[in-house]
Amino acid sequence: MSEIWDRLRHVTDPELDESVTELGFVTTVEVDAVDHVHIQFRLPTYWCAANFAFMMADDMRAAVSAVSWVSGVSVVLGEHMYADKINRGISQGQSFQEAFGSEANGDLSEVRRTFLLKAFQRRQEALLSQLLARGYRPEQLVVMSLAELEVLLVERQGQDLVGRYLERREIVGPCSPDAPAFLSVEGWRLPADGLEAYVRGLRRVGVNAEFNGALCRGLLSVRFDMTTPLPERPKMNPS
């Protein structure tokens, strides 16, 4: 079971770039007698964006399906205005466009890329701010390779920032060992002159995401009782 929760921990809300487990969205994870995983989740409001909800459900299904011993995955969204369509679409392996038909607005791949780039910017700002605070000079950072970044000796918090940044680095360019560690969202090398101003500009992306994250947590807490432990559910029996 811990392996399943670990996989879910790496699934993020596309807008907030925070784990669905840390946000409190996942309420139930069960494994039945034939190793089929059943996941239930909820969102802060009844009307949370359908495309974001669908992406999270699909990402949960894909992440858990990759576990070698899992025979199948069911993901169920509860208490949402589009829950029936989302749950049916996920269970049938449909795309967002197939599930919503004429109601689908735009291509999810473009929406996903937009928010992956925002996540990249937020993680890059956090890492660069940490490295600058530790005394690394802009001239060092802009020529640093990915191989050098991966072996950088930093404390635990810094290691976490490096790991999270590397998870999103490929979205802006090739990730060969000798590739630049830090690029802009357009794939350009960052200039040493003005790097600190560049980082300050990125900070606005992080501030907006942090505000939205706090808002979502507040709405979720108001909508659901987040203090009383969830009741024990009966063990599943083989069908």
Side-chain angles (χ1 to χ4, degrees):
M1 184 70 78
S2 61
E3 188 176 7
I4 302 301
W5 279 102
D6 185 62
R7 293 296 178 119
L8 292 174
R9 184 173 60 84
H10 288 88
V11 175
T12 59
D13 178 301
E15 184 179 20
L16 305 178
D17 190 35
E18 293 189 50
S19 166
V20 293
T21 58
E22 293 175 6
L23 285 165
F25 292 172
V26 179
T27 58
T28 305
V29 176
E30 295 178 338
V31 182
D32 66 20
V34 294
D35 291 334
H36 189 106
V37 180
H38 302 264
I39 301 166
Q40 295 184 32
F41 77 109
R42 63 195 176 185
L43 295 172
T45 70
Y46 186 70
W47 55 86
C48 283
N51 53 358
F52 292 168
F54 192 94
M55 278 193 281
M56 282 184 272
D58 197 36
D59 288 350
M60 286 185 231
R61 181 200 57 76
V64 175
S65 295
V67 178
S68 60
W69 54 265
V70 170
S71 64
V73 182
S74 299
V75 181
V76 175
L77 170 63
E79 301 183 64
H80 188 277
M81 64 187 297
Y82 290 114
D84 290 344
K85 284 189 177 182
I86 291 171
N87 294 335
R88 183 169 57 249
I90 295 298
S91 68
Q92 295 178 1
Q94 295 179 332
S95 67
F96 180 71
Q97 286 73 22
E98 290 169 334
F100 279 80
S102 61
E103 293 181 77
N105 184 17
D107 183 0
L108 267 197
S109 63
E110 287 301 313
V111 175
R112 185 184 292 277
R113 177 172 174 78
T114 295
F115 283 99
L116 282 174
L117 288 172
K118 288 182 180 294
F120 165 79
Q121 289 180 307
R122 186 180 179 188
R123 296 182 186 198
Q124 186 183 70
E125 182 275 321
L127 178 56
L128 284 174
S129 293
Q130 175 84 349
L131 294 176
L132 288 168
R134 287 180 57 85
Y136 285 88
R137 301 189 309 278
E139 294 80 8
Q140 293 175 282
L141 296 174
V142 298
V143 298
M144 185 177 291
S145 69
L146 279 172
E148 291 170 328
L149 178 60
E150 288 175 354
V151 299
L152 207 61
L153 294 177
V154 291
E155 74 284 355
R156 177 59 184 273
Q157 180 186 8
Q159 291 173 352
D160 291 343
L161 291 174
V162 170
R164 280 176 54 78
Y165 174 71
L166 292 174
E167 288 175 358
R168 294 289 182 265
R169 168 60 178 73
E170 66 180 2
I171 192 71
V172 298
C175 288
S176 59
D178 60 346
F182 299 106
L183 296 173
S184 70
V185 291
E186 296 84 9
W188 301 337
R189 281 181 175 270
L190 302 180
D193 183 26
L195 182 66
E196 293 180 347
Y198 167 82
V199 172
R200 287 196 297 272
L202 289 183
R203 197 162 294 147
R204 289 193 293 271
V205 177
V207 168
N208 289 338
E210 288 166 11
F211 173 80
N212 289 336
L215 180 62
C216 281
R217 285 188 177 86
L219 290 171
L220 190 71
S221 180
V222 169
R223 186 180 183 201
F224 301 102
D225 180 0
M226 302 292 287
T227 57
T228 303
L230 293 169
E232 290 288 332
R233 295 176 63 88
K235 298 289 185 182
M236 287 193 165
N237 295 318
S239 54

